[in-house]
Amino acid sequence: MSAHGDPLPMTSQACGPLTGTAEVPGDKSISHRSLILGAMAVGETTITGLLEGQDVLDTARAMRAFGAEVTDLGGGKWSVHGVGVGGFAEPENVIDCGNSGTGVRLIMGAMATSPIVATFTGDASLNGRPMARVTDPLALFGCQAIGRTGGRLPMTLVGAVEPVPVRYVVPVPSAQVKSAVLLAGLNAPGQTVVIEAEATRDHTERMLAGFGAEITVAETDDGREITLTGQPELKPQHIEVPRDPSSAAFPVCAALIVPGSDVLVPGIGLNPTRAGLFTTLREMGADLSYENERVEGGEPVADLRARFSPDLKGIAVPPERAASMIDEYPVLSVVAAFARGHTEMRGVKELRVKESDRIDAMAKGLRANGIEVEEGPDWWVVAGRGHGNVAGGATCASQLDHRIAMSFLILGMASQSPVQVDDAGPIATSFPIFEPLMQALGAQISRSKG
Ligand code: S3P
């Protein structure tokens, strides 16, 4: 089943060169944070380039339920009239975050230190994902959570009436957990400290500073130590959301494996905590260049140019790079299938608790399409077959996971036989224009019968 309707089977098949410009949508992580921080500021925040994918629209709806005025002004422009830190109203109804782990976890953090009660739910994928990683640290502030067995949604949070600040060492590399604690710390008096052993995406820290919060980051022997002074008055901002590197990954990887391709993907955010895939692809021999490098809205940005790369080779991806490309392993495994030699991906346990178990979902689909994959609890290895040697021909389960669906459609663009996904509906959560964008480059994607 798709997240929001009937299953939408889709097929892709080998095509001529992919050429042209791919204008991918706004960054999903920054879009969620723009709406949530805008709702916690006093006054009107304006946002351009907001990702209008279902995940972000669900967060917009949630912010309205907590009392913010969120308006779609058209053309990717939005305005948020915030209610201030500690100003959230109690929602009248259950908050449905759809497919979005980022949405629900950040919103839980944002409401956890207000004296209100909220109940959260999501789709079958989200309701299967672990929430204790967020509710455990939120309990330290004084917030109570009652959910299903195993810390699953649906779940009710009773916000702390008298929140206390927290010092928390994040036990898993997760920007969502780090961000939930920081957002909760906003309405606790005194200093909240978060320590992460491995650096994860730092949009929350950057944006909190932009909204006027007092926040410092120190590199220590234990990792990055982030200190936030609670109860600031956040000042409304104008935010220009950069285009999403995690969405750019799909046309970039397609161009690398489809013979003759030459694709420009302009204006991509290249924050070092997000850009690990592009470094990895270059190490594999990808013809991938950064053009027109610049800084926009405090984030490094460049135009990516990807061309067909006939000599891709498998590599061992350094495990310490995992956090900076965590969402990109599925599509990397597709490129790895067209490389010569093995691509080893280790230190990636977190892939098992995403929208799906992404190691399992990709391994099953790749094997069905003639590619050997070995896997363990926190690693997997793809045996590359080289260009022209990937069989294809199978139907793959997208498991309510947008990135799994898109990855298999990219696979089909360069395999011998077409590849079908059972449900491409979830793509709308993060990349609603994926189908027309890829078709405009020359891809042969079609809606198929189930
Ligand atoms: C995100 C953090 C990552 C990532 C997700 C977006 C964020 O999740 O996979 O797509 O915006 O903070 P984890 O925090 O679970 O690693």
Side-chain angles (χ1 to χ4, degrees), residues 29-41 45 47 50 59-60 62-63 68 70 80 82-84 88 102-111 179 183 186 207 211 234 239:
S29 294
I30 296 176
S31 294
H32 282 295
R33 286 161 175 80
S34 301
L35 293 169
I36 295 169
L37 287 173
M40 299 178 88
T45 286
I47 308 165
L50 189 84
T59 289
M63 289 302 99
V70 182
V80 183
V83 292
F88 275 177
T102 307
V104 76
R105 291 182 175 131
L106 267 56
I107 296 167
M108 282 179 168
M111 61 77 54
S179 301
L183 292 172
L186 279 175
M207 293 177 74
F211 273 86
L234 297 183
I239 300 166

Side-chain angles (χ1 to χ4, degrees), residues 109-316:
M111 61 77 54
T113 45
S114 292
I116 55 174
V117 178
T119 300
F120 297 89
T121 192
D123 68 5
S125 156
L126 188 58
N127 287 0
R129 296 178 69 183
M131 293 297 143
R133 54 176 52 202
V134 171
T135 53
D136 285 352
L138 296 183
L140 305 174
F141 288 96
C143 170
Q144 285 175 277
I146 303 135
R148 287 193 304 134
T149 310
R152 317 275 152 169
L153 302 178
M155 182 175 274
T156 297
L157 263 63
V158 182
V161 177
E162 286 182 29
V164 290
V166 155
R167 182 180 177 85
Y168 190 67
V169 180
V170 184
V172 284
S174 167
Q176 293 173 0
V177 175
K178 169 180 67 176
S179 301
V181 176
L182 289 171
L183 292 172
L186 279 175
N187 199 35
Q191 292 191 324
T192 285
V193 180
V194 186
I195 298 141
E196 57 175 4
E198 284 175 52
T200 63
R201 65 192 68 195
D202 62 358
H203 306 301
T204 303
E205 297 93 301
R206 287 178 188 240
M207 293 177 74
L208 276 169
F211 273 86
E214 207 179 305
I215 183 165
T216 58
V217 181
E219 300 295 338
T220 71
D221 290 346
D222 297 330
R224 291 177 78 242
E225 182 171 312
I226 305 145
T227 304
L228 172 73
T229 302
Q231 300 184 327
E233 180 170 309
L234 297 183
K235 293 180 186 48
Q237 299 297 300
H238 173 68
I239 300 166
E240 286 173 22
V241 180
R243 297 178 196 271
D244 198 326
S246 298
S247 296
F250 295 100
V252 163
C253 289
L256 301 180
I257 61 171
V258 174
S261 297
D262 184 349
V263 170
L264 186 71
V265 192
I268 298 305
L270 287 178
N271 178 318
T273 62
R274 295 287 299 281
L277 172 74
F278 306 123
T279 306
T280 301
L281 291 173
R282 294 218 244 189
E283 287 173 4
M284 294 173 77
D287 185 348
L288 173 63
S289 54
Y290 296 170
E291 297 180 356
N292 195 12
E293 288 182 62
R294 57 213 187 259
V295 175
E296 281 178 11
E299 296 271 356
V301 167
D303 304 337
L304 303 182
R305 178 149 207 174
R307 296 185 180 92
F308 174 60
S309 302
D311 296 317
L312 292 170
K313 58 178 191 307
I315 63 162

